Amino acid sequence: MDASRVWKVSEQRESLVHARGLTKAYGAFEAVRGIDLDVRRGEAFGFLGPNGAGKSSTMRMIGAVSPVSGGTLRILGMDPATDGPAIRARLGVCPQDDTLDTELSVQENLTVYGRYFGLSRAECRARAAELLEFVALTDKAKVKVDELSGGMKRRLTIARSLVSKPDLLLLDEPTTGLDPQARHLLWDKLFRLKQAGVTLIITTHYMDEAEQLCDRLVVMDGGLIAAEGSPYELIRDYSTREVTELRFGPEVMSTDHDALAGKVEDLAQRIEVLPDRLLLYTDDGERAVAAVHERGLQPAAVLVRRSTLEDVFLRLTGRTLVD
Amino acid sequence: MSVVLENGRRQFDYWATVYKRTWKGSLVSSFLLPLLYLAAMGIGLGSFVDGTGTGALGGISYLQFIAPGLLAATALQIAVGESTYPVLGGIKWQKFYFSMIATPLRPADVMYGQLAFVAFRVLTTCAVFLLVIALFGGLATPWGLFGLPVALLVGMAASAPVCAVATRLDNDSGFAMIFRFGVIPAFLFSGAFFPVSQLPNWIEWLAYLSPLWHGVELSRDLSLGTVDPLAALGNLAYLAAWFVVGTWFAVRGLTRRLIS
Ligand SMILES: Nc1ncnc2c1ncn2[C@@H]1O[C@H](COP(=O)(O)OP(=O)(O)OP(=O)(O)O)[C@@H](O)[C@H]1O
Ligand SMILES: [Mg+2]
């Protein structure tokens, strides 16, 4: 047996989610238009993308609750069309919209859910207590879900996705609606889960979250993958090391910005004109600032910062709202 | 089959919890209405009817005439109630069905679980009601106790098709139609209060189409000890058909609704 073949087999085994040319259509409308993915065991994989990009549609297909319209998809080495229950038995899912039973108590939502996976009652109770502690809802254990705040419901949904001790955790915008404390707590816990070998797939609109959590991510737009890589690679490939932001006083009309941009164009690799400021994408922000001053321009405020994923995101998907 | 049973077992705690939380609230709707009917029609109207001679009823009291039918009608009402708002709630409002199918459960398992819960509600409510009927002397013979399995079958024959409709609705306005044009006419013309042969021919035939009429017939024949085996088999088969066909459509409807 030759070496390349062995290598291929082991790679196949390590790929928990494997998609090629994956599409999803709702009637005539194609929400996912042919994407290739490989999520490897133990990694944290992120989906970024504007509203309607097709992130949740992809997540539901991976969750084996939404049939694939075209292409191939293997999850945990199985085919969702035929092995849906076996796949779902090993997944933890936090859907974008909470699907809690609002008539039941916080604790009951967890214990009842654990039973669907075939866990014993004792196991469910123990897991519920542990997870309520983790999402800081122990005080609310007996309260009806109806009475929780939005963020508390979100935390409960996250806790619920962990009841079955999944191998693969699918989190669709897990921290939307959470306060900063809760978000940081969750990142911490997700990091520990990852260390324990759980594979994570996350969608988010928070760039800091993606940067913190994801080893690798894709930016989706219009049902396609626009870019893929680690946060570092994406910033390297689609932005510059630094960004210089120049703000001019209110006496400078935003229409003058174009003229100003013309004067500094050559100082940056790329320049972006916004209504209230100019962005100079450059590897050395301070040098750009010095050059701007040398040319006699007097910005009211100057900020030099590192490029972030947000810059990458906006570059790839544009600043305008679609739909 | 064993998968279906196992997946049913896994939902037991959910439905037990739901029941623990709701049984008190459902007491009034479950028992008050049938008891009122029993008192008003069976005892009130009954004493009036019986006073004019019970010849037309074949020597039994009016209470004994209507009680078996009322039991079947109660089963229908409970079943329809449990198959409307709860089902649409699982799909649209609380969406708990969606949380169930994110686990090893399949949409069909979820539907079977829902139907099993309806069966439990029908059985328990009707058992209590039957006890009350017996205490009031509403059973002409002990055979009337077999009205309970008949009531269960009536309940399921109504629940499955109503679930099938509920899985295809966008909002709850359709339920008013089900009650107005389904449950209430079925109740009034079920033969529970008077033989449908008293009705104009075309209504009589409509009554024969209703599963409730078959349930009432069966239940009363059992209670009075006047069972004709062939007719009884026909009634049973007709009720079973509503249940089986209804279940098929309900599973299909729920699957389409949950999986998109
Ligand atoms: N069940 C459905 N039926 C019809 N169209 C759908 C359905 N679900 C999603 N869509 C459409 O598919 C497209 C992608 O939706 P999706 O929910 O996957 O986007 P998303 O990337 O998760 O967006 P968001 O960031 O807003 O959550 C949208 O145009 C949406 O309207
Ligand atoms: Mg989404």
Side-chain angles (χ1 to χ4, degrees), chain A residues 55-56 96 172-173 203:
Chain A
K55 304 180 297 292
S56 296
Q96 183 170 352
D172 198 348
E173 298 191 26
T203 80

Side-chain angles (χ1 to χ4, degrees), chain A residues 10-31:
Chain A
S10 73
E11 189 196 45
Q12 190 78 21
R13 196 191 66 223
E14 289 302 298
S15 192
L16 294 196
V17 177
H18 172 84
R20 288 293 175 270
L22 181 63
T23 65
K24 178 73 209 184
Y26 302 104
F29 174 73
E30 218 172 29

Side-chain angles (χ1 to χ4, degrees), chain A residues 65 84-85 88-89 113 116-117, chain B residues 98-106:
Chain A
V65 291
R88 294 195 300 270
Y113 196 75
Y116 299 152
F117 288 86
Chain B
F98 286 95
S99 73
M100 292 175 150
I101 63 148
T103 74
L105 304 180
R106 303 158 301 180

Side-chain angles (χ1 to χ4, degrees), chain A residues 66-97:
Chain A
S66 171
V68 167
S69 305
T72 53
L73 178 63
R74 311 276 301 172
I75 304 145
L76 302 163
M78 292 178 273
D79 179 355
T82 52
D83 303 318
I87 292 169
R88 294 195 300 270
R90 292 171 55 194
L91 299 184
V93 180
C94 169
Q96 183 170 352
D97 299 320

Side-chain angles (χ1 to χ4, degrees), chain A residues 66 88 101-102 108 116 121, chain B residues 13-14 94 101 103 105 260:
Chain A
S66 171
R88 294 195 300 270
D101 196 314
T102 52
E108 285 164 348
Y116 299 152
R121 289 202 179 106
Chain B
D13 281 17
Y14 172 69
Q94 311 207 35
I101 63 148
T103 74
L105 304 180
S260 66

Side-chain angles (χ1 to χ4, degrees), chain B residues 213-234:
Chain B
W213 178 81
H214 293 264
V216 168
E217 278 286 299
L218 202 52
S219 188
R220 182 181 296 128
D221 284 346
L222 281 164
S223 178
L224 303 185
T226 56
V227 177
D228 166 9
L230 206 62
L233 272 180

Side-chain angles (χ1 to χ4, degrees), chain A:
Chain A
M1 202 191 274
D2 72 353
S4 70
R5 190 140 166 250
V6 174
W7 180 80
K8 249 196 159 139
V9 169
S10 73
E11 189 196 45
Q12 190 78 21
R13 196 191 66 223
E14 289 302 298
S15 192
L16 294 196
V17 177
H18 172 84
R20 288 293 175 270
L22 181 63
T23 65
K24 178 73 209 184
Y26 302 104
F29 174 73
E30 218 172 29
V32 179
R33 301 191 300 162
I35 60 172
D36 297 347
L37 288 174
D38 273 292
V39 180
R40 291 186 271 276
R41 184 183 295 282
E43 82 176 331
F45 188 90
F47 282 99
L48 297 180
N51 295 140
K55 304 180 297 292
S56 296
S57 299
T58 307
M59 289 290 259
R60 282 198 304 271
M61 287 192 279
I62 298 173
V65 291
S66 171
V68 167
S69 305
T72 53
L73 178 63
R74 311 276 301 172
I75 304 145
L76 302 163
M78 292 178 273
D79 179 355
T82 52
D83 303 318
I87 292 169
R88 294 195 300 270
R90 292 171 55 194
L91 299 184
V93 180
C94 169
Q96 183 170 352
D97 299 320
D98 293 321
T99 54
L100 299 163
D101 196 314
T102 52
E103 297 293 317
L104 265 50
S105 76
V106 167
Q107 186 185 28
E108 285 164 348
N109 263 278
L110 297 181
T111 51
V112 149
Y113 196 75
R115 298 287 284 158
Y116 299 152
F117 288 86
L119 305 182
S120 74
R121 289 202 179 106
E123 220 170 337
C124 288
R125 268 197 305 273
R127 291 291 291 159
E130 197 179 302
L131 287 166
L132 287 179
E133 193 71 40
F134 153 56
V135 293
L137 285 175
T138 307
D139 294 349
K140 302 273 182 188
K142 303 281 180 217
V143 169
K144 241 168 71 159
V145 168
D146 246 348
E147 294 161 26
L148 294 186
S149 75
M152 290 175 181
K153 284 186 192 151
R154 203 68 197 135
R155 271 143 58 188
L156 182 58
T157 303
I158 293 165
R160 195 184 61 181
S161 70
L162 292 169
V163 166
S164 60
K165 296 201 174 163
D167 294 330
L168 175 60
L169 191 56
L170 305 180
L171 303 162
D172 198 348
E173 298 191 26
T175 59
T176 298
L178 295 194
D179 60 30
Q181 287 86 344
R183 284 177 69 207
H184 282 273
L185 210 71
L186 182 73
W187 293 350
D188 201 47
K189 173 74 175 186
L190 291 179
F191 186 74
R192 273 185 284 141
L193 282 172
K194 206 183 94 177
Q195 302 250 290
V198 177
T199 308
L200 305 173
I201 303 183
I202 302 161
T203 80
T204 182
H205 289 299
Y206 298 112
M207 298 300 141
D208 52 343
E209 184 163 291
E211 236 172 309
Q212 284 261 345
L213 285 177
C214 300
D215 302 314
R216 217 149 53 82
L217 43 90
V218 292
V219 179
M220 274 187 90
D221 195 16
L224 293 168
I225 290 178
E228 176 183 349
S230 68
Y232 168 79
E233 286 167 345
L234 287 172
I235 292 169
R236 187 192 63 198
D237 294 350
Y238 294 94
S239 192
T240 49
R241 214 169 70 82
E242 293 185 321
V243 183
T244 298
E245 301 198 0
L246 303 177
R247 267 174 217 273
F248 294 91
E251 69 282 358
V252 180
M253 290 286 111
S254 65
T255 44
D256 300 338
H257 275 165
D258 282 323
L260 288 168
K263 294 188 190 168
V264 295
E265 223 164 19
D266 56 316
L267 298 178
Q269 290 168 22
R270 193 162 65 86
I271 194 159
E272 203 170 353
V273 183
L274 301 183
D276 62 333
R277 66 212 141 113
L278 293 181
L279 302 187
L280 277 56
Y281 291 88
T282 164
D283 285 327
D284 188 342
E286 293 297 345
R287 199 147 109 204
V289 173
V292 165
H293 285 136
E294 267 165 35
R295 290 182 188 188
L297 298 178
Q298 311 250 289
V302 173
L303 170 72
V304 176
R305 58 172 176 81
R306 296 183 72 86
S307 262
T308 63
L309 264 187
E310 190 135 350
D311 298 311
V312 175
F313 185 87
L314 290 172
R315 166 138 192 227
L316 287 169
T317 62
R319 281 187 190 269
T320 42
L321 281 176
V322 277
D323 282 330

